[in-house]
Amino acid sequence: MKIGLVGFPESGKSTVFGALTGLAVETGYAAGRDKVNVGVVKVPDPRVDALAELYKPKKTTYAEVAFTDLGGAGGKGLDRKTLNAMREVDALCQVVRAFPDAAGEPPQPLREISDLETETILADLELVERRVERLAKDRSNPRELELLQRIQAHLEDERPLRSFELSEEESKMIAGYALLTQKPLMLVINVDEGSIGSEVDPEIAASARDRGLGVVVLSAQVEMDIASMPEEDQIEFATSLGLDEPARNRFIRAAYELIDLVSMLTSGPDECRAWPVARGSRAVRAAGKIHSDIERGFIRAEVINWKDLIEHGSEAKCREAGLARVEGKDYIMQDGDVVHFRFNV
Ligand SMILES: Nc1nc2c(ncn2[C@@H]2O[C@H](COP(=O)(O)OP(=O)(O)OP(=O)(O)O)[C@@H](O)[C@H]2O)c(=O)[nH]1
Ligand SMILES: [Mg+2]
């Protein structure tokens, strides 16, 4: 699962990337713009921390997501390379400049949001038009043609495909096109140091709401400074700035939800761990995340909600209290389920 950071030049993509990954990256005008940075990030998870506190395991493992800094998108139109890179990610986070730039130029966040939308709509439209032309000529797939024509009309109306309803079958039909306005999108409002901890600007909030998009406010510069500190100092420093935790933590969790992942938890003396599973996964498939043998030999899942486990202090006590459930193959795994799988080898 990969999340792409996009945005207009100088919006702070590389700084956000550095803050997320703790990697040293080049920032500043056009720095490293021809390079695509990729980094894997642990998803901060207080549930894993609480389980680790209880079990004192040898190892603690968090879920991970990959972020990529897609470089210079926008401005005078999205270039081919950026477009192709955008097609390859599972979700997009648009970094929006909300601080005055080096030349003192005031930010235009609303404009950046609507401009990126327009550019991605045009990119999708171009692709769909070409395909419609071809299908109209060779008549090879009338059903796809009909669908693409409806999609074309939607895009011509200047609406992203996030607001176009697709059946499961239709989704499959167009999955190969990797249309940009179909990808989940979240806004990262990059504010200056003085504005951290503040609410989302009401106009931006309204614009995000109209589009059905999530919003995170942070100051990439400050987050980068926090990320470079020893872990034990990070929370304290964030608190001194009026944040209850580094904003990067909130951002990473929001991004994790954006790609529709939930965490199944396992715990024991060896390891406490969060496993990313697609929302709506059946227990038997989720088991396969741990090992294909468990999926193949699946017997049952023994499930306790993490909170119950922490409150009661042990699995045995949860069983006594009737809080441990036995679930079958078709059980839909829930976020925060602590699970033991029983299986035949
Ligand atoms: N004041 C302030 N400056 C920031 C913040 N975030 C980034 N900057 C500055 O803005 C400039 C651009 O940041 P980058 O992270 O390089 O932006 P980018 O989007 O990667 O830029 P390109 O790759 O050139 O498109 C740099 O000089 C950063 O130091 C912030 O939160 N506050
Ligand atoms: Mg950059």
Side-chain angles (χ1 to χ4, degrees), residues 242-317:
L243 301 166
D244 47 11
E245 62 173 344
R248 74 186 275 278
N249 292 9
R250 263 189 297 121
F251 174 28
I252 296 167
R253 283 197 295 266
Y256 189 67
E257 277 173 34
L258 187 67
I259 45 180
D260 247 353
L261 290 174
V262 298
S263 290
M264 153 176 100
L265 308 165
T266 53
S267 58
D270 286 330
E271 188 181 31
C272 289
R273 177 162 183 170
W275 301 81
V277 297
R279 188 186 299 283
S281 293
R282 295 157 63 225
V284 62
R285 286 303 303 277
K289 292 271 163 203
I290 300 179
H291 203 286
S292 55
D293 286 350
I294 310 182
E295 181 170 358
R296 218 173 300 124
F298 185 96
I299 301 172
R300 61 177 188 269
E302 296 170 7
V303 181
I304 303 175
N305 177 270
W306 77 278
K307 230 181 198 150
D308 292 334
L309 184 50
I310 298 301
E311 267 167 30
H312 289 74
S314 77
E315 291 169 28
K317 291 219 176 87

Side-chain angles (χ1 to χ4, degrees), residues 184-228:
L185 172 68
M186 191 173 90
L187 303 174
V188 183
I189 312 300
N190 189 10
V191 297
D192 66 20
E193 296 77 318
S195 313
I196 56 170
S198 60
E199 294 288 310
V200 185
D201 172 273
E203 273 187 295
I204 296 177
S207 143
R209 204 167 36 243
D210 290 345
R211 293 175 162 86
L213 307 178
V215 191
V216 171
V217 182
L218 51 73
S219 170
Q221 194 74 63
V222 172
E223 292 299 322
M224 184 124 119
D225 294 343
I226 296 179
S228 66

Side-chain angles (χ1 to χ4, degrees), residues 10 12-15 26-33 35 37 69 71-72:
E10 302 292 279
K13 300 174 294 294
S14 300
T15 311
E26 293 175 72
T27 59
Y29 186 70
R33 208 178 263 177
K35 268 193 311 221
N37 298 311
D69 172 3

